[in-house]
Amino acid sequence: MNQIRRIAIVGGGPSGLFMYKRLIESNIQPNEIEIDIFESNKCLGAGMPYSGDGANIEHVTNVSDHEIPELVTSIEAWVRTVPESMLAEFGIELARFNEYKVLPRLLFGKYLSAQFDLLIRQADKMNIKTQVYLGSRVIDMKDHPAQQQVEIFVNGPESYRYDHAIICTGHKWPVKYEGQIPGYFDSPYPPHKLERKVNHAVAIKGSSLTAIDAIKTLARYHGQFQENVNGHLCFIPAADCPEFKMIMHSRNGLLPAVRIHLEDPMVEDVTLLTKEQIHEQMTQNEGFLSLDFVFEKNFKDTFKTKDPIFYERIKDMTLENFVEWMMHLRENLEPFQLFRAEYVE
């Protein structure tokens, strides 16, 4: 580069965070680029999913520390720097926390915000100039091909010009009927709008993770969860709303799959492919590892001794046959029966 390149990142949530990380780690020379970050909220990192726009205290992430790409510090290391009062607020027990645990979404947002701050400090040490515009809503962008520039309009007529603009604005839930039809919400976000107690049935359109978010907020306002004598969590309905219940309307009749993070490795050496096997397969497949081969060796063969009856059922199946069979089983079970079976499994 013969001159300073000005780059705009539109949106300072998780996508903007990872884009910013890639830019400052792209082997650029000092003073080669300047980066401006536009964020409509008052802090960087959290975005919609991990701020009050998309979560309450009861909502958790669906990824753990060992699943996300490395930022500056791990979640586990960062949690150990958080004041005890904040951890208590989110129900985090430091002695029991590790990289396989999932965080409450609002706490995860604070982690992402802290990582953004650390990255900005890194950029400063590298002489990469970063300007952050908080509370700045980008309302339009205009391309100027002749000048090879992009013009960004912020909060009205004010505009800025850049050599490159990267759009990281994330998802915006549409509002079509909300406010026009009493008691109807186009989405459960922001969740504080569901913080109300009613004494009637509530319909939930869908049964995905978004539906689970709505259920969690409604459940918190209509009762509480308590451990019984067997240590199982039970929902105790509030006495003043006996008619309250939630009914999910699902097109496919499936609930989100249960995922359990195992803290101890469950993969044994005998089920792993050897380097020689991998090299041989890649040689035979133009540098690729065949999914069919992985399905045979890493999956099917493990059941020969561990579950011979199951192996007999799947030994002649292709990967496609197995998926079709498994989906048929799922789709023909009552949703909550399947959910319980997955939990036991």
Side-chain angles (χ1 to χ4, degrees), residues 297-334:
K297 297 298 180 184
N298 265 116
F299 183 73
K300 286 167 69 172
D301 283 0
T302 63
F303 292 102
K304 286 181 177 178
T305 55
K306 287 188 176 296
D307 194 340
I309 296 175
F310 183 69
Y311 178 73
E312 284 299 314
R313 298 186 71 176
I314 68 169
K315 67 178 183 179
D316 297 322
M317 290 185 183
T318 65
L319 177 56
E320 290 78 12
N321 293 152
F322 178 79
V323 170
E324 185 178 352
W325 174 61
M326 192 56 62
M327 286 306 298
H328 178 75
L329 284 178
R330 287 176 58 84
E331 290 170 346
N332 283 276
L333 279 177
E334 191 275 330

Side-chain angles (χ1 to χ4, degrees), residues 54-197:
N56 265 353
I57 193 79
E58 65 270 10
H59 297 126
V60 296
T61 62
N62 59 356
V63 292
S64 58
D65 192 4
H66 82 295
E67 291 181 290
I68 67 170
E70 183 179 339
L71 286 164
V72 182
T73 60
S74 67
I75 293 175
E76 186 176 7
W78 175 79
V79 163
R80 300 189 184 282
T81 69
V82 174
E84 288 185 14
S85 58
M86 185 184 295
L87 294 180
E89 178 187 350
F90 288 99
I92 301 294
E93 295 181 39
L94 200 55
R96 299 176 59 186
F97 190 82
N98 58 48
E99 65 175 348
Y100 295 96
K101 302 292 186 183
V102 293
L103 283 183
R105 289 217 295 263
L106 293 178
L107 186 59
F108 186 61
K110 293 180 183 296
Y111 163 75
L112 294 176
S113 184
Q115 298 303 293
F116 227 134
D117 290 340
L118 291 173
L119 285 172
I120 290 173
R121 291 180 203 170
Q122 282 188 12
D124 186 55
K125 291 179 180 178
M126 298 167 63
N127 291 321
I128 298 174
K129 184 180 178 182
T130 304
Q131 180 70 44
V132 178
Y133 296 91
L134 296 176
S136 298
R137 184 174 296 279
V138 173
I139 61 170
D140 200 5
M141 300 174 69
K142 185 177 181 181
D143 192 22
H144 296 281
Q147 293 83 30
Q148 293 189 328
Q149 288 186 330
V150 178
E151 188 173 10
I152 293 179
F153 296 86
V154 182
N155 296 338
E158 189 176 8
S159 69
Y160 305 82
R161 291 206 176 203
Y162 297 92
D163 301 296
H164 306 281
I166 306 162
I167 301 175
C168 301
T169 48
H171 181 73
K172 302 295 181 186
W173 287 90
V175 177
K176 188 174 182 181
Y177 300 111
E178 196 168 309
Q180 301 178 37
I181 302 175
Y184 182 93
F185 300 96
D186 286 303
S187 80
Y189 308 113
H192 61 74
K193 67 189 179 186
L194 301 182
E195 295 177 348
R196 58 183 68 196
K197 188 178 286 187

Side-chain angles (χ1 to χ4, degrees), residues 9-62:
I9 298 177
V10 182
S15 296
L17 168 62
F18 280 100
M19 192 68 247
Y20 182 65
K21 176 180 168 67
R22 294 294 179 265
L23 284 174
I24 67 173
E25 293 179 350
S26 59
N27 296 320
I28 56 174
Q29 298 301 312
N31 301 313
E32 276 193 347
I33 65 170
E34 293 179 355
I35 304 171
D36 284 3
I37 303 170
F38 295 92
E39 170 55 44
S40 60
N41 292 316
K42 295 181 179 179
C43 71
L44 294 175
M48 188 283 283
Y50 310 112
S51 69
D53 290 336
N56 265 353
I57 193 79
E58 65 270 10
H59 297 126
V60 296
T61 62
N62 59 356

